[in-house]
Amino acid sequence: MNKEAKKIADYLSEISGIDVFENKRRRYNIEARCLLTFILRNHFDMTFHQIKEFYQANGKSYNHATAIHSLKTFEVHRKYSKFLNNWLEEIQLLMKDKTNIKRGLLLNTIKELNHKQISKLYKTAKILQDGKEQTKEKADTLI
């Protein structure tokens, strides 16, 4: 079992006051597990099968379909939960590299955009990418 993942699960239980491995279907339990599943998938790059095994190793009945559903509903829970963003911010403080979490949040946000917003985002991303390439070219000419 991934010790860092267990540490984050324990910390989430501590800050939320919710045992994420408890077999309950209350809203707060579901939201906390949803957040943990998002972190396991995006920060630890776990497969859905590995996520299932992680929960089961900690006493929670869970299957890969539940993990998939949990990940798909993460943004909905995040939008309407008073606590989910706060818990995520608290957990990010524990992480050395937050890049994968930020990438996962960005990908979830992109899924919610309309066609016009995606076009604008694409143009912005292209500018960022071109700027990065220009910076590399300048650095190469200085060498």
Side-chain angles (χ1 to χ4, degrees), residues 22-36:
E22 188 175 24
N23 283 312
K24 290 198 174 183
R25 293 183 181 178
R26 290 188 336 229
R27 177 181 175 179
Y28 296 118
N29 292 72
I30 292 168
E31 290 173 347
R33 278 194 297 271
C34 189
L35 173 59
L36 181 59

Side-chain angles (χ1 to χ4, degrees), residues 1-7 21 46 53-55 57-58:
M1 178 179 18
N2 189 322
K3 289 181 183 179
E4 188 180 354
K6 178 66 170 132
K7 179 180 171 185
F21 302 116
M46 287 187 180
E53 289 178 343
F54 177 79
Y55 278 104
N58 287 286

Side-chain angles (χ1 to χ4, degrees), residues 9-140:
D10 291 343
Y11 185 65
L12 176 58
S13 292
E14 180 183 320
I15 62 175
S16 67
I18 296 164
D19 180 2
V20 293
F21 302 116
E22 188 175 24
N23 283 312
K24 290 198 174 183
R25 293 183 181 178
R26 290 188 336 229
R27 177 181 175 179
Y28 296 118
N29 292 72
I30 292 168
E31 290 173 347
R33 278 194 297 271
C34 189
L35 173 59
L36 181 59
T37 300
F38 175 81
I39 291 168
L40 295 174
R41 179 74 174 172
N42 289 288
H43 182 69
F44 295 104
D45 294 322
M46 287 187 180
T47 65
F48 292 116
H49 183 76
Q50 289 170 324
I51 293 170
K52 171 197 82 132
E53 289 178 343
F54 177 79
Y55 278 104
Q56 287 179 345
N58 287 286
K60 171 72 181 125
S61 64
Y62 212 76
N63 62 50
H64 76 285
T66 306
I68 292 168
H69 178 73
S70 183
L71 193 62
K72 283 183 178 181
T73 60
F74 173 70
E75 277 304 314
V76 174
H77 290 297
R78 198 168 150 236
K79 198 179 290 185
Y80 297 105
S81 172
K82 302 177 204 174
F83 310 106
L84 217 49
N85 283 321
N86 294 339
W87 295 340
L88 179 58
E89 288 174 15
E90 288 280 329
I91 289 169
Q92 284 184 30
L93 295 174
L94 292 178
M95 298 175 183
K96 294 175 186 161
D97 183 9
K98 299 166 184 62
T99 305
N100 288 337
I101 290 294
K102 290 179 182 178
R103 184 176 289 121
L105 292 170
L106 183 58
L107 290 172
N108 281 348
T109 302
I110 290 170
K111 290 176 187 174
E112 302 291 321
L113 299 178
N114 63 36
H115 176 72
K116 197 174 194 178
Q117 293 169 321
I118 289 174
S119 295
K120 285 182 182 180
L121 181 60
Y122 179 78
K123 288 176 185 175
T124 304
K126 192 73 174 148
I127 291 168
L128 289 171
Q129 184 181 22
D130 291 345
K132 188 176 179 182
E133 288 173 6
Q134 288 175 1
T135 306
K136 284 181 184 178
E137 288 172 9
K138 286 180 185 178
D140 289 343

